[in-house]
Amino acid sequence: MSEPCRSSLPGPGDAASPPFRVAYLRPAEAAQLAPERLLACVHFGPTAVPGVGPEARAARPWEIVVPLPVLGDGDVVEVWRSARPVERMMVGDVQLACGDDVAFASLCVDDSCGGLGLETATSAAYRALGAAASASGFPILARLWNFFPAIHRMESGLERYRAFCRGRHLAFTEHFAAVETNLPAASAIGSRNSGLQVFGLLLRQQGRQIENPRQLSAFHYPPVYGPRSPSFSRSIFKDWGAAGAHLYVSGTASIVGHSSRHHRDYTRQLEETLVNLQALLANADARTGRAFRFAVLRVYSRVVAPLELIRARIAAKFGPETPVLVLQGDICRTELLLEIEGLAISD
Ligand code: 3EB
């Protein structure tokens, strides 16, 4: 991204503004922003917020660091800006920034939960998140990111991603009377940092779950992929009235039905993933009467990526103006080489 997109930052007093907007900025640009309206600044690339030591860090609770390498570009900050000033609070271990209609929640826990394992750590993290969401008046989990190390390593006889899915499923089962209709859009990525990091968007009022017609819903995956299916929706639609609408699009890979396609073929996996994203957007358009386009796209690549190919294919499918961030991170199935997620908007 040679020209970070700043056009989608809201102007003050704009009645038709959605409650927040998201843009990719350079660290130096993000550092200039007044904190009052910052829901979150997610730093990609570095292992620490540049120029901010541990003590100053505590004074800047909106800063989140995801130390996945940024491919083909310098460090990038994803800025989540509220249309209104935010109120910050801690509920248990969960840091919250609350606007009028949306809140941003984040927590980072020991991914071994003091030796009990990732499954226990995950259910504890999701219990804390559910409790904080309810207590803050933003009970809807709309869009969540999950990062933890060694996603494929075996732990107590189960791959860690599958242990994570089991812990998340348990917490959702306890928290929601009906799980399948309350699942957030999500991404789950293998990282290099320690700890289980969970963060994302909470809402006061429920959005609408929209699944992908080319893919079996992940929460219906058969047991061959693990003892508990992954608890997420393919996307969540949120209508902001005169200010337009958002579609929060989960990490999407080269999966058709429930099967991974094109093992070891990067180009074909990329193409299948883009067709999946197109099908999801078309389904959202059909169901909501909107015309969605991607405001930001993020690619997670297991290997150092063919950047020219990725940018060219995304430009061809979704327009040359679409901001794209490419990160190196591990995807939840070993045969999958990449995954793409995004935020789509409509007027
Ligand atoms: C897939 O479609 C790819 O476990 O939260 C994508 C997005 C994937 C989210 C999750 C997993 C998750 O199954 C993997």
Side-chain angles (χ1 to χ4, degrees):
M1 184 179 37
S2 48
E3 283 289 307
C5 172
R6 76 182 88 201
S7 59
S8 62
L9 291 174
D14 179 354
S17 281
F20 73 96
R21 296 192 198 193
V22 176
Y24 294 138
L25 299 181
R26 293 289 170 209
E29 294 173 301
Q32 308 282 312
L33 300 172
E36 293 81 42
R37 291 192 289 139
L38 292 179
L39 287 162
C41 286
V42 187
H43 294 253
F44 295 104
T47 53
V49 177
V52 179
E55 279 146 40
R57 172 85 185 74
R60 299 167 65 84
W62 55 89
E63 311 271 18
I64 295 171
V65 177
V66 178
L68 298 178
V70 179
L71 297 175
D73 218 334
D75 294 346
V76 170
V77 186
E78 185 183 64
V79 175
W80 288 64
R81 248 196 167 183
S82 167
R84 303 259 166 269
V86 300
E87 188 188 340
R88 297 183 205 283
M89 61 184 89
M90 286 291 286
V91 179
D93 291 334
V94 180
Q95 176 74 50
L96 292 159
C98 303
D100 291 344
D101 299 304
V102 301
F104 197 96
S106 68
L107 81 164
C108 191
V109 300
D110 167 15
D111 64 307
S112 80
C113 202
L116 295 172
L118 178 63
E119 179 179 338
T120 308
T122 305
S123 51
Y126 270 83
R127 280 189 198 109
L129 190 63
S134 298
S136 65
F138 297 88
I140 309 299
L141 311 180
R143 208 307 176 201
L144 295 176
W145 282 266
N146 304 276
F147 296 96
F148 55 92
I151 191 165
H152 300 308
R153 195 204 294 150
M154 296 299 281
E155 187 177 293
S156 308
L158 195 62
E159 185 194 36
R160 276 163 60 86
Y161 173 65
R162 298 177 178 201
F164 162 83
C165 284
R166 202 149 78 167
R168 178 173 56 176
H169 182 272
L170 175 63
F172 277 155
T173 307
E174 294 167 355
H175 187 71
F176 294 116
V179 173
E180 291 187 2
T181 51
N182 283 286
L183 295 175
S187 300
I189 299 295
S191 66
R192 298 170 178 204
N193 49 327
S194 60
L196 167 65
Q197 209 174 6
V198 182
F199 59 82
L201 181 70
L202 313 181
L203 300 175
R204 278 204 199 281
Q205 306 287 339
Q206 188 140 30
R208 179 167 153 201
Q209 181 172 347
I210 296 181
E211 295 293 300
N212 192 322
R214 298 187 84 233
Q215 299 186 297
L216 185 67
S217 292
F219 49 85
H220 287 157
Y221 283 170
V224 64
Y225 300 105
R228 289 295 180 193
S229 51
S231 309
F232 71 97
S233 303
R234 297 294 179 191
S235 70
I236 297 289
F237 165 76
K238 186 65 185 172
D239 191 342
W240 298 117
H246 284 165
L247 187 73
Y248 310 112
V249 177
S250 292
T252 302
S254 178
I255 295 174
V256 179
H258 60 73
S259 315
S260 304
R261 295 289 167 95
H262 318 300
H263 293 210
R264 287 177 297 282
D265 187 330
Y266 204 99
T267 305
R268 288 211 169 102
Q269 286 199 15
L270 174 62
E271 218 53 40
E272 198 75 71
T273 301
L274 294 175
V275 172
N276 280 341
L277 289 169
Q278 254 181 337
L280 182 69
L281 246 52
N283 192 33
D285 287 352
R287 282 166 191 269
T288 66
R290 301 266 179 173
F292 279 103
R293 61 187 185 278
F294 281 109
V296 286
L297 278 174
R298 192 182 306 161
V299 181
Y300 301 97
S301 185
R302 182 183 295 283
V303 293
V304 172
L307 280 174
E308 292 311 312
L309 176 73
I310 291 172
R311 293 191 189 285
R313 294 310 303 145
I314 286 177
K317 285 266 194 229
F318 298 118
E321 304 300 320
T322 317
V324 180
L325 177 62
V326 185
L327 301 174
Q328 188 169 7
D330 289 337
I331 322 301
C332 63
R333 296 184 189 176
T334 49
E335 69 276 14
L336 295 176
L337 299 173
L338 72 143
E339 181 175 304
I340 306 180
E341 62 176 47
L343 167 61
I345 57 175
S346 83
D347 297 329

